[in-house]
């Protein structure tokens, strides 16, 4: 067959040295007639969600061979947000998304690959690979590694969130350190992405909703044998996508992104999707305004009763209940059903016949958990350009909250105060200079929120930050405040004792300080110095140029 990009390294007299190198890999001359499929794997044995991807990569490659293609595996970096959490390492997590997208682009372009299988699983890796797919616009298919199984502690499901919140219980005197040690031993019993609807599993589900992954890919647990057969199927399908010329730009349309947001809201997914979906869309020249998330959230009810959104069902339960196809079939009247997918069929065709098998996990549209979706966008004098809250994980009792500010200029200072019981009930903890440029890297802050929850204070204390919170966060925790403090946004001007008003139903986040006082503070404000080097310095430079809409 002809017409492949890989012809550029296979054909012609002046490509003899290319063929020689290919033959040194064990490729046969007949294989030159087949499409070359890259298998972009994020395998590493330091990330629980990725430690099993080496075996899945082998299954993908078996599928590529079976489909009539030639597979070539390469790797990207992968950061475990759980291990990186709470120290300097977390500053590298979000920036790694750009590195992942760039590395996939480099390998695909340098070797003229015809298509890609994107083998991923965790928080920044999946969106990074989807960004690369959109940017390259060659046939691509996503395979996620699947969720982790839950542990069991005193009759209840456990996972990483259980452990972090248990530290708060120890600090509050409700659990002994010996009990915590025993919990550590059993909380995370298998490989895979953490067991609840946190960022990794949210992005896996949205990969399906976008049409970039085969049905049920997202929810098959990492330890199920069917994960291998699904990986083989994806490898085989990657070859068909190349033969059909079905590229991401034909799948990742504006309608597909709206479908993903609908699913996100029905799931009550991670607030980090506010960062990732627009970044993927931007690679295709599609703009997703922040207000679109809120508009869709107001009309899409929350249906999934999952861990991470106040529920008690894990991702394995969600899979057994019918997974993403069953949820989308329940939502069909709210979706663009003619959207094309990597199956070569429409979304309508993919979800036809998918049934909800457990109504404890996926509620009917007529009887939702909540009338509105999982995420809300707040605006006001503290966040003129917007802020984000996982509304589905906030108790109705504290969806309206007003209190004096307690200001910290770093995550570490706030964490120390929480651990020392130095926060008073009724206060609004403000953590600033943790945005993309100020942090830098917009580190994820699960530990402060989980400690507060574990200490039993989640309905007595609110948190507000220009950084971001983990997909596992619950309680009145407002993130992504924009403009960020490093830009001189209003959050940079907050002082201890200032009244902050949070009203999630009305979508309000206000700093109740006189305008003249703020103008005086603004005149005296100076941006803090950041002495950076290496990758983070490059990341900040790029972010500042993007923000200013200047060429790099």
């Amino acid at each position: 067959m002809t017409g492949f990009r890989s012809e550029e390294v296979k054909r012609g007299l002046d490509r003899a040295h290319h063929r020689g190198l290919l033959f040194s890999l064990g490729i046969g001359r007949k294989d030159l007639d087949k499409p070359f499929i890259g298998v972009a794997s994020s395998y590493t044995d330091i990330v629980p969600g990725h430690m099993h991807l080496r075996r899945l990569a082998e299954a993908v490659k078996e599928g590529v061979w079976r489909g009539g293609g030639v597979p070539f595996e390469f790797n990207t970096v992968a950061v475990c947000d759980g291990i990186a959490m709470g120290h300097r390492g977390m500053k590298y997590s979000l920036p790694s998304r750009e590195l992942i997208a760039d590395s996939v682009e480099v390998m695909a372009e340098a070797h003229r690959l015809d298509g890609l299988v994107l083998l991923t699983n965790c928080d920044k890796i999946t969106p990074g690979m989807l960004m690369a797919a959109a940017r390259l616009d060659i046939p691509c298919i996503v395979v996620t590694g699947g969720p982790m199984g839950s542990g069991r502690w005193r009759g209840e499901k456990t996972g990483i969130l259980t452990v972090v919140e248990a530290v708060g219980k120890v600090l509050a005197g409700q659990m002994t350190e010996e009990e915590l040690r025993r919990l550590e031993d059993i909380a995370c019993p298998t490989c895979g992405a953490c067991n609840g609807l946190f960022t990794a599993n949210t992005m896996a589900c949205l990969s399906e909703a976008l049409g970039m992954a085969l049905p049920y890919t997202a929810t098959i647990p990492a330890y199920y044998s069917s994960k291998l057969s699904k990986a083989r199927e994806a490898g085989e399908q990657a070859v068909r996508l190349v033969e059909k010329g079905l590229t991401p730009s034909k799948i990742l349309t504006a309608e597909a992104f709206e479908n993903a947001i609908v699913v996100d809201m029905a799931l009550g997914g991670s607030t980090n999707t506010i960062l990732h979906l627009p970044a993927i869309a931007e690679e295709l020249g599609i703009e997703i305004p922040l207000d679109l998330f809120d508009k869709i959230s107001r009309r899409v009810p929350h249906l999934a009763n999952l861990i991470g959104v106040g529920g008690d069902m894990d991702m394995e339960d969600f899979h057994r209940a019918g997974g993403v196809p069953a949820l989308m079939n329940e939502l069909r009247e709210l979706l663009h059903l003619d959207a094309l997918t990597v199956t070569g069929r429409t979304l309508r065709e993919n979800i036809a016949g998918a049934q909800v098998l457990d109504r404890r996990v996926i509620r009917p549209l007529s009887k939702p958990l909540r009338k509105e979706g999982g995420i809300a966008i707040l605006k006001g004098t503290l966040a003129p350009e917007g802020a984000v809250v996982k509304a589905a994980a906030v108790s109705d009792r504290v969806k309206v909250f007003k209190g004096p500010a307690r200001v910290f200029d770093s995550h570490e200072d706030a964490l120390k105060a929480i651990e020392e019981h130095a926060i008073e009930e009724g206060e609004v903890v403000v953590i600033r200079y943790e945005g993309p440029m100020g942090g830098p890297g917009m580190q994820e802050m699960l530990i402060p929120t989980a400690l507060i929850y574990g200490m039993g204070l989640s309905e007595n204390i609110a948190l507000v930050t220009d950084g971001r919170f983990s997909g596992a966060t619950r309680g009145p925790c407002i993130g992504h405040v924009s403009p960020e403090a490093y830009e001189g946004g209003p959050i940079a001007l907050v002082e201890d004792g200032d009244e902050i008003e949070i009203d999630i139903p009305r979508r309000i986040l206000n700093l109740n300080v006189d305008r003249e006082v703020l103008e005086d503070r603004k005149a005296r404000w100076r941006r803090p110095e950041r002495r950076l080097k290496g990758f983070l310095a490059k990341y900040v430079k790029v972010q500042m140029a993007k923000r200013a809409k200047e060429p790099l």
Side-chain angles (χ1 to χ4, degrees), residues 15 53 76 227 233 235 269 295 332 370 372 526 530:
R15 296 295 185 254
L53 296 190
T76 72
K227 201 75 194 173
E233 184 183 350
K295 179 182 177 182
R332 59 189 178 277
R370 298 170 184 85
E372 292 189 352
R526 296 292 181 271
R530 289 281 188 265

Side-chain angles (χ1 to χ4, degrees), residues 296-444:
I296 292 176
S297 180
R298 287 183 181 276
R299 66 181 177 86
V300 176
H302 176 211
L303 302 182
N305 185 30
L306 299 175
I307 292 171
V309 205
D312 58 359
M313 300 294 178
D314 62 16
M315 291 302 295
E316 185 173 11
D317 292 323
F318 183 39
H319 180 65
R320 289 172 174 165
V324 177
L327 177 69
M328 294 186 84
N329 202 21
E330 188 69 31
L331 295 165
R332 59 189 178 277
E333 64 189 62
L334 301 171
L335 296 168
H336 299 284
L337 296 175
D338 293 326
L340 196 58
T341 73
V342 290
T343 64
R345 301 186 298 272
T346 64
L347 176 62
R348 185 192 311 277
E349 293 172 301
N350 284 353
I351 66 175
Q355 296 181 354
V356 176
L357 303 176
D358 190 340
R359 285 297 183 185
R360 295 174 303 165
V361 184
I362 304 173
R363 297 290 184 89
L365 200 59
S366 59
K367 294 182 180 179
L369 288 160
R370 298 170 184 85
K371 292 181 180 180
E372 292 189 352
I375 293 173
I377 307 300
L378 312 185
K379 289 187 177 181
T381 54
L382 186 55
E385 296 179 11
V388 183
V389 63
K390 195 171 186 178
V394 182
S395 166
D396 289 339
R397 289 188 288 274
V398 286
K399 285 188 174 175
V400 177
F401 194 103
K402 187 182 292 184
R406 183 70 181 280
V407 183
F408 300 93
D409 286 345
S410 73
H411 161 254
E412 290 78 13
D413 289 347
L415 186 58
K416 182 179 178 182
I418 293 167
E419 290 174 339
E420 293 176 352
H421 302 272
I423 306 298
E424 299 291 333
E425 291 188 12
E427 289 184 326
V428 179
V429 175
V430 176
I431 307 174
R432 64 189 179 194
Y433 296 108
E434 290 292 1
M437 292 175 280
M442 205 178 189
Q443 64 174 311
E444 197 170 82

Side-chain angles (χ1 to χ4, degrees), residues 31 99 113 115 177 216 223 257 294 358 386 416 467 496 540-541 543:
D31 294 326
L99 191 59
L113 298 174
E177 290 191 38
Y216 303 101
Y223 44 94
F257 284 103
D294 200 62
D358 190 340
K416 182 179 178 182
D496 284 346
V540 170
K541 181 179 179 181
Q543 293 305 310

Side-chain angles (χ1 to χ4, degrees), residues 455-470:
M455 294 165 75
L457 299 173
S458 64
E459 295 191 3
N460 304 102
I461 295 170
L463 287 93
V464 175
T465 182
D466 56 2
R468 62 195 177 91
F469 294 117
S470 164

Side-chain angles (χ1 to χ4, degrees), residues 165 168-169 171-172 174 418-419 421 450-457:
E165 291 178 348
K169 292 180 180 180
L171 292 173
Q174 299 169 11
I418 293 167
E419 290 174 339
H421 302 272
L451 289 185
I452 287 173
Y453 185 90
M455 294 165 75
L457 299 173

Side-chain angles (χ1 to χ4, degrees), residues 118-133:
L118 304 169
L119 184 55
T120 171
N121 211 26
C122 287
D123 299 42
K124 311 310 165 304
I125 299 91
T126 300
M129 289 195 175
L130 282 166
M131 287 168 64

